[in-house]
Amino acid sequence: IEQVLASVATSSSAGSGASVSSGGGLHVSKQRGSRFAVARLNDGSQEAGDAGPSVRVGDDPEKLKEHLRLLRGMDVQAVDLPKAPTYKEVLQWAETLSSAFMKAWMQRAEIVDFLEKVCYCGEGLISHRQHALAYLEIYARFSDRCVNLKEQLVGKGVDELWKKRGIAVAVRFKLGRCLALYQQTIRKDEGAKRRDTIETLRDVLRDIVSCVKFVNTWEVGVREEMYWAVYNSCVLALRLARWLRLHGFALGWLAQCANSTLPMMAVHMVPMRTRFYIEQIYCAESAMRLKEASRLCDVAMEQLEKDKKLETMLQPVPEETIQVFDTALVRFRVLKIKYDFWLETTTGDGKTAVVFDTKQVVAQSDALGPESRWVLPTLLETFELQHGLPQHFGASAPETLETGSGAAAPEAEQTPEVTRMSLGKVRAKRQEL
């Protein structure tokens, strides 16, 4: 495994643009949608720049050179584009790994030790961006071993230490498989033009939820030690939701799992949880479910207030701790003001009455901090209403979260109400702002 990973690392560094052409060249590393480069200029200096998406300039060195000259005014002498590993190299890596793992299995390697090596190898390939190789030759090939391990974990008379190791490696395997399939899918179809791309990513999100369900079936002590699994599941689900701008794949349920896991309530986890909540809220806003977005703001503030109360029970409390919670709470209060401004309520006689106006927006944002520091950010946030986008928005999270042996999958509920608003009304309220 170490020999193959070393070979992959060498090939990846050479193919990622780390080498320079003899006349001075361009280091290019491909990322989603764009390529970031460090250019060697004619005067001998170096400068970082965006090489632009491959769909726009292609792989023609002259076009890329002209693109950098027009976009950044960079006087690039030459361009050296990255080259993918050859098919022969990839086939050789796959055969070597397959023979090594099968030899270890035939020698009756202990299943937890075996899967730990599988996870180590798969994670190493993912770190070198060999996602297809990791998914097909590692995770897909040995999925049956992970299923066997999960069956053994629920048996009676299992050693406690071995059980915890088994749970950890099963979760690592499943999340690694999800990450490899996600990266492989989006790199094949960057624009999400194919229907099977969306279906595959939906399967990945279901697998993430299944992974968290597996963690939730165990007792409290095990779940607290497996907090990293909930954290990684939330981060991966957040990346998928951000890429697709979709909702309805149990993001709210994952947030409740994070709220019920004690280590996830720590201060250093607050920024990640804040980003997770904000992504939920923006998805609701994009689908014009403004009442649902406002409700999610209330849920986030209520949870953060509880966590802040727990952290401040023992004095003295560091100023940084108070600042982390206060900043997160203000962020959600700003969003709450935004949705109160855009929401409208209907009176008993069927006429529409506006809940908020700009004066109330300014007054409430002025009360968020000293010296009116939050007035301008609130006005800017309120102005940027995401609307009219072709989003899919699913049901909200269930009110109760079951853990332990009775844990169940999140159930679908009624889709939240859509806020109807004409373009003229949106322009008028923006003009008022």
Side-chain angles (χ1 to χ4, degrees), residues 358-373:
T358 49
K359 293 182 179 179
Q360 290 171 303
V361 171
V362 173
Q364 292 212 10
S365 59
D366 189 29
L368 293 178
E371 300 178 358
S372 304
R373 56 178 297 188

Side-chain angles (χ1 to χ4, degrees), residues 89-151:
E89 288 178 317
V90 175
L91 184 60
Q92 183 179 1
W93 295 336
E95 290 178 348
T96 304
L97 291 174
S98 176
S99 61
F101 280 116
M102 292 309 298
K103 181 179 179 181
W105 185 254
M106 294 300 293
Q107 292 179 355
R108 300 184 181 278
E110 206 277 327
I111 187 169
V112 174
D113 295 334
F114 181 84
L115 284 177
E116 282 180 346
K117 284 295 183 182
V118 169
C119 293
Y120 172 77
C121 182
E123 291 161 3
L125 292 174
I126 291 175
S127 67
H128 296 305
R129 299 188 179 185
Q130 296 297 326
H131 307 108
L133 183 63
Y135 177 73
L136 296 174
E137 298 298 331
I138 301 299
Y139 293 109
R141 183 183 292 271
F142 300 111
S143 292
D144 57 335
R145 310 298 198 277
C146 186
V147 173
N148 293 339
L149 174 61
K150 292 171 70 174
E151 291 176 353

Side-chain angles (χ1 to χ4, degrees), residues 203-254:
D203 291 338
V204 172
L205 285 162
R206 292 190 188 99
D207 288 342
I208 294 173
V209 173
S210 174
C211 181
V212 180
K213 283 167 53 184
F214 174 71
V215 175
N216 284 345
T217 56
W218 301 100
E219 54 270 18
V220 176
V222 176
R223 292 206 312 273
E224 290 185 359
E225 290 189 22
M226 296 292 109
Y227 79 93
W228 55 268
V230 180
Y231 176 87
N232 289 338
S233 299
C234 291
V235 171
L236 185 54
L238 180 64
R239 290 176 64 179
L240 273 114
R242 182 166 293 165
W243 191 78
L244 291 171
R245 294 300 289 169
L246 296 174
H247 192 77
F249 299 112
L251 281 183
W253 185 77
L254 283 171

